[in-house]
Amino acid sequence: LFFRLFVKLFVLAVALTTYIIVEATSNDLSTSLPYFPVSEYDEWRWAAYVQADYLLLPQLKVIGGGQLNKVPGNDWDFVPSLGAFYNITSELGIKALYGQAFKSAAANEKFSNVTNTLYGNQTLAPEKVTTYDLQFFFQRPSYQFTASAFRSEIENIVVRKRFEQLP
């Protein structure tokens, strides 16, 4: 869903729900060996996203938005995004962005169960990445130059540990 409220304002809104069902297969039919080492499970995941762009001045556009997420075992989580684009001249400008990203654990990270090899953890918290980005740009009809700097901070990163490292 998107619409223009005024000439200077553009709004985008999206909602999504996903129902995931995994039925574990115990054996590979050709070898009779374990084949799909993920426990059976089902879960609902919900998300909604909204973003608004506003032309504050002829040379300045601001953007704000966010995503609301709900995955099993966790509270609702909101990740924001903000940005500003300023055209110093028709060829030279600057862009500043702040945003967060959300990633819930995948099925193999939560539900795996391979003896002495891989165990899932159903209590994994979602990963969250916060990024700051600053960019200067210069463009002509025949070429373009950009210089960017960014920093990303990761919370609750999911990593694999060797079996020997488990408590």
Side-chain angles (χ1 to χ4, degrees):
L1 169 69
F2 67 92
F3 53 93
R4 280 193 191 279
L5 296 178
F6 306 101
V7 173
K8 296 181 177 184
L9 179 65
F10 177 78
V11 178
L12 169 70
V14 178
L16 173 69
T17 184
T18 306
Y19 182 60
I20 301 170
I21 302 171
V22 173
E23 296 177 0
T25 302
S26 59
N27 293 319
D28 182 329
L29 298 176
S30 63
T31 64
S32 297
L33 297 173
Y35 176 67
F36 192 65
V38 175
S39 303
E40 292 187 0
Y41 74 97
D42 64 302
E43 64 183 22
W44 283 96
R45 296 176 180 214
W46 305 86
Y49 177 79
V50 66
Q51 178 177 308
D53 300 5
Y54 185 70
L55 191 60
L56 194 60
L57 301 169
Q59 69 274 23
L60 177 62
K61 178 169 77 169
V62 293
I63 298 173
Q67 182 175 335
L68 186 63
N69 300 285
K70 176 67 176 110
V71 294
N74 294 280
D75 292 330
W76 285 92
D77 190 276
F78 179 76
V79 290
S81 62
L82 302 168
F85 298 81
Y86 184 72
N87 292 313
I88 299 165
T89 69
S90 62
E91 299 173 329
L92 179 66
I94 186 171
K95 171 174 73 171
L97 302 172
Y98 164 83
Q100 290 185 332
F102 174 95
K103 179 196 171 288
S104 61
N108 66 323
E109 296 165 338
K110 292 171 63 174
F111 301 106
S112 293
N113 187 10
V114 181
T115 305
N116 296 332
T117 306
L118 183 64
Y119 293 99
N121 180 351
Q122 294 184 32
T123 64
L124 287 174
E127 295 177 342
K128 191 178 282 189
V129 180
T130 301
T131 300
Y132 307 88
D133 187 353
L134 183 64
Q135 182 182 88
F136 293 93
F137 56 89
F138 180 78
Q139 57 190 30
R140 290 270 175 110
S142 59
Y143 65 91
Q144 177 177 323
F145 172 78
T146 60
S148 298
F150 68 92
R151 176 180 173 82
S152 294
E153 301 166 355
I154 304 172
E155 298 174 41
N156 301 324
I157 188 168
V158 174
V159 295
R160 287 189 178 179
K161 292 183 178 180
R162 295 182 56 82
F163 178 74
E164 298 82 28
Q165 296 172 307
L166 295 175

